[in-house]
Amino acid sequence: MEVPWLLVAHGLVTALVVVSFLCGQWPIFEGTFVQSINHFLTFGAYHYLLRFVQVVCGNGARDLVLGVEQYCCDRPNPILQVFYVAIIGVTYFIFVQTSFKYIPGYYVSGWHRYLSIVAVAVGAILFVLTSFSDPGTVTAENVSQYVSAYPYDNIIFVEKECSTCKIPRPARAKHCRICDKCVARFDHHCGWMNNCIGEKNTRYFVAFLVWHFLLCVYGTVVLCFILAGEIKERKVIYILTGYQCLLRTCCLVQHEQPNKSAIKLNHSHMRIEFSCWRVKLS
C-alpha cells in the first residue's frame, strides 16, 4: 500500500506556516512553538542568516547581503516581483505534480483542477493591478483637488510644503523616498509590488492579501480532503483496526498462559474471528 507521504507533508507544512505566520502573535499562542515559528519567519531567519554569513565569510560578506537587501527593498526594481512570481509558479507546480493525480477523488471532484487555475489567476490579476496602477500621485496639477478632498485638521495634519516636490502636501499624504513622489493617503511602499500603496490602489492591495489568505486556506482544505479520500479508499483505518485487534488477541493469549516460556503463532494458518466486526480486503 503506497502512502502519499509527500502529499501529507505538503498539507501539514502549508497549514503550519499559514497559521504561524498569520496568528503566531495571538495571545492564545504565547509561549508555544507557533509563536516561535512566527518569530523565526518574520525576524529570526534573516538575523540568523546574517550571523551565519558573518561567521563563515566575514564582515564583508555580511555588508554585501545588507547591500543586496537595500537594493531590493529600498530602491525601485522588479526583483521581488519576479521572486513572487517564482514562488507562486513553483508552489503551483508542486501542487499539480503531487495532487492532481488524486483529483478527482473520494471527497474531491474533478472541477477542482480548473478552480485551482482560476484561483491562481485571480491572485495574479490582483498582483498586476496593485503593482502597475497609480497609487495616487500628487502633482502640481492635481494638488488642489487632493487638498480639498483631505483638509487639514490643524491637530495632526497641518499645512506644509513638501521639501522635495515643492508643492503643498495634502493631509495624510507623504513623500516616498523610494519612488521619489508624493502619494495621497500614503500607507507604505511595498517592495513586492514595486509600488507605493496609497489612495487609488489600497483596495487592490487589500483584496490581494485577503485573496491569498483564502487561497492558502483553500489549498490546505483540498489537500486534507484528498488525504482523507486516500485513507478511505485504501482502507487504512480498517487495516490499522485489524492489526490492533490482532495484537490485543496475542496479548490475551500470553496473559492466559503465563507458564509457557514462548508462544509460537503460525500467521499463515492463523484465523481469528471477531464477533464485533468483519473486514474483507480485496
Side-chain angles (χ1 to χ4, degrees):
M1 181 182 62
E2 179 187 359
V3 180
W5 293 112
L6 183 60
L7 182 62
V8 176
H10 185 273
L12 292 177
V13 170
T14 300
L16 181 61
V17 170
V18 171
V19 173
S20 300
F21 186 78
L22 297 177
C23 312
Q25 296 183 358
W26 290 8
I28 191 175
F29 294 117
E30 185 175 357
T32 64
F33 69 94
V34 176
Q35 185 185 40
S36 301
I37 295 176
N38 174 271
H39 178 76
F40 178 78
L41 293 174
T42 53
F43 300 103
Y46 183 67
H47 176 70
Y48 289 128
L49 174 64
L50 289 178
R51 291 182 58 184
F52 175 79
V53 171
Q54 184 177 11
V55 171
V56 175
C57 303
N59 293 329
R62 178 179 179 273
D63 295 337
L64 178 62
V65 174
L66 292 175
V68 172
E69 177 203 1
Q70 183 180 8
Y71 177 78
C72 293
C73 301
D74 294 339
R75 295 182 183 179
N77 62 80
I79 292 179
L80 291 182
Q81 289 176 299
V82 174
F83 188 51
Y84 162 80
V85 174
I87 291 175
I88 295 299
V90 171
T91 302
Y92 188 70
F93 175 79
I94 294 175
F95 180 79
V96 170
Q97 293 296 316
T98 60
S99 305
F100 267 31
K101 58 184 177 182
Y102 301 107
I103 301 176
Y106 193 87
Y107 295 113
V108 180
S109 60
W111 57 269
H112 283 284
R113 285 173 172 258
Y114 310 102
L115 182 60
S116 64
I117 299 176
V118 174
V120 174
V122 170
I125 292 173
L126 292 174
F127 173 75
V128 172
L129 289 175
T130 309
S131 298
F132 298 102
S133 61
D134 178 26
T137 305
V138 181
T139 62
E141 290 75 18
N142 61 16
V143 63
S144 59
Q145 300 176 5
Y146 282 113
V147 170
S148 301
Y150 301 101
Y152 306 107
D153 59 5
N154 293 322
I155 300 176
I156 299 177
F157 303 106
V158 296
E159 184 176 0
K160 63 174 62 175
E161 183 183 80
C162 176
S163 59
T164 304
C165 299
K166 304 301 181 182
I167 58 176
R169 181 185 299 174
R172 302 181 64 183
K174 185 179 179 181
H175 185 89
C176 177
R177 63 181 178 82
I178 299 176
C179 295
D180 194 26
K181 60 185 178 183
C182 283
V183 178
R185 212 172 71 192
F186 180 86
D187 187 82
H188 71 287
H189 179 90
C190 182
W192 293 98
M193 305 296 175
N194 192 28
N195 197 8
C196 291
I197 306 301
E199 180 198 42
K200 293 185 177 181
N201 63 352
T202 299
R203 63 177 76 91
Y204 301 138
F205 181 71
V206 173
F208 172 84
L209 296 179
V210 173
W211 184 259
H212 278 66
F213 170 74
L214 296 177
L215 185 63
C216 291
V217 173
Y218 167 71
T220 303
V221 171
V222 170
L223 289 175
C224 290
F225 276 115
I226 291 175
L227 179 60
E230 288 298 304
I231 292 176
K232 179 73 173 180
E233 291 182 344
R234 298 172 186 271
K235 300 180 180 180
V236 175
I237 300 298
Y238 296 150
I239 294 174
L240 294 178
T241 304
Y243 180 69
Q244 184 181 14
C245 292
L246 177 63
L247 291 180
R248 290 181 178 179
T249 303
C250 294
C251 293
L252 180 61
V253 172
Q254 291 180 352
H255 179 71
E256 292 179 350
Q257 300 178 6
N259 295 327
K260 293 185 178 182
S261 58
I263 297 177
K264 297 182 179 180
L265 300 176
N266 189 346
H267 294 282
S268 61
H269 298 86
M270 183 178 178
R271 295 180 180 178
I272 300 177
E273 294 183 0
F274 301 97
S275 58
C276 58
W277 59 275
R278 180 177 298 175
V279 178
K280 182 179 180 181
L281 297 177
S282 58

